[in-house]
């Protein structure tokens, strides 16, 4: 790690002879991945790589940041927990990337679920979008930002007469999860809302999704 860090610092400082020497040393030791090489050489050249390789380590994340390339959701697939937590806190990252990273971090146990709720509550949506949240959700099933939109729309349904519609909307929000980290994070996000539905008559499908979410959060009685 320290030798790779030295190579990265030499690249950033423009000390190219020392950079080349250190990179050769890493190659001889078999300690230089293709991602390291692509990102470190891009940092030394002062121009971004042609394609952003998936990152794993903190140094690769730092190198990608200075390269000027924008990260995508796929770049986080193999990233270490600390890197994912750093992306979740990165104010320069897109809302979609931060939200996906926060969900991943919550599922890995490196961030508290409360941070996910705090991030979502900080998003700003148009009133018309909140009103049309179900239609937007149907059109954009893979967009994590729509998860935030749905959550805010659920939170806005405070009147008792909305309780059945609220239960249906929570079930729809939970059903959007297409991965473990997304399902686990959404279960924690809606835990209080689901607990508040005790005694409300819901459909078998809704009851099933609520029970699974309760089990994910350790609420066996609620499940």
């Amino acid at each position: 790690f320290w030798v790779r860090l030295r190579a990265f610092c030499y690249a950033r400082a423009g000390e190219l002879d020392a950079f080349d020497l250190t990179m050769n040393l890493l190659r001889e030791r078999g300690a230089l991945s293709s991602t390291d090489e692509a990102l470190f050489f891009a940092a030394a050249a002062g121009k971004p790589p042609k394609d952003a390789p998936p990152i794993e380590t903190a140094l690769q994340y730092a190198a990608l940041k200075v390269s000027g390339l924008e990260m995508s959701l796929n770049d986080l697939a193999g990233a270490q927990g600390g890197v994912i937590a750093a992306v979740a806190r990165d104010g320069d990252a897109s809302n979609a990337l931060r939200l996906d990273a926060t969900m991943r971090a919550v599922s890995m146990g490196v961030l508290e679920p409360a941070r996910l709720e705090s991030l979502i509550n900080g998003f700003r949506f148009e009133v018309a979008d909140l009103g049309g949240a179900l239609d937007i959700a149907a059109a954009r099933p893979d967009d994590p930002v729509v998860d935030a939109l749905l959550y805010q729309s659920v939170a806005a349904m405070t009147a008792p007469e909305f309780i059945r519609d609220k239960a249906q909307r929570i079930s729809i929000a939970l059903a959007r999860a297409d991965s473990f980290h997304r399902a686990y994070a959404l279960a924690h996000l809606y835990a209080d809302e689901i607990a508040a539905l005790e005694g409300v008559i819901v459909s078998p499908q809704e009851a099933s999704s609520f029970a699974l979410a309760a089990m994910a959060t350790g609420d066996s009685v609620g499940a």
Side-chain angles (χ1 to χ4, degrees):
F1 169 80
W2 293 110
V3 180
R4 286 196 296 271
L5 177 59
R6 186 183 304 166
F8 176 64
C9 290
Y10 284 145
R12 292 286 289 145
E15 298 182 26
L16 299 185
D17 290 340
F19 170 73
D20 286 337
L21 182 63
T22 308
M23 292 290 280
N24 287 332
L25 177 62
L26 286 167
R27 284 194 201 93
E28 291 171 2
R29 294 184 178 181
L32 190 67
S33 71
S34 59
T35 299
D36 290 331
E37 190 150 5
L39 291 174
F40 291 178
F41 271 106
K47 50 178 74 171
K50 293 181 179 179
D51 299 301
I55 62 170
E56 297 179 0
T57 68
L59 272 178
Q60 291 171 358
Y61 171 56
L64 184 61
K65 285 273 291 179
V66 302
S67 75
L69 278 180
E70 185 174 344
M71 292 181 62
S72 69
L73 300 183
N74 292 332
D75 294 333
L76 293 180
Q80 297 169 355
V83 174
I84 292 174
V87 175
R89 295 186 176 100
D90 187 352
D92 294 330
S94 67
N95 285 341
L97 185 61
R98 288 191 70 191
L99 189 52
D100 184 71
T102 303
M103 288 183 174
R104 291 176 186 271
V106 167
S107 73
M108 297 171 76
V110 296
L111 284 182
E112 293 294 326
R115 186 175 287 273
L116 174 61
E117 184 179 9
S118 176
L119 176 64
I120 285 176
N121 285 335
F123 289 179
R124 295 289 177 263
F125 297 107
E126 299 291 336
V127 174
D129 289 338
L130 289 170
L134 292 182
D135 291 335
I136 295 173
R140 293 155 57 185
D142 300 324
D143 187 350
V145 175
V146 179
D147 292 340
L149 175 67
L150 278 172
Y151 180 75
Q152 287 196 14
S153 74
V154 167
M157 302 171 77
T158 56
E161 59 266 27
F162 291 141
I163 193 68
R164 279 289 304 115
D165 293 333
K166 188 174 187 177
Q168 181 188 41
R169 189 163 298 197
I170 294 172
S171 178
I172 290 172
L174 294 171
R176 286 171 53 83
D178 55 1
S179 62
F180 168 79
H181 73 264
R182 195 175 179 189
Y184 184 80
L186 289 176
H188 277 277
L189 183 65
Y190 285 101
D192 290 342
E193 296 282 6
I194 292 171
L197 292 173
E198 184 176 356
V200 176
I201 297 176
V202 298
S203 72
Q205 181 180 357
E206 291 164 357
S208 176
S209 67
F210 299 156
L212 285 172
M215 284 190 282
T217 61
D219 182 8
S220 59
V221 174

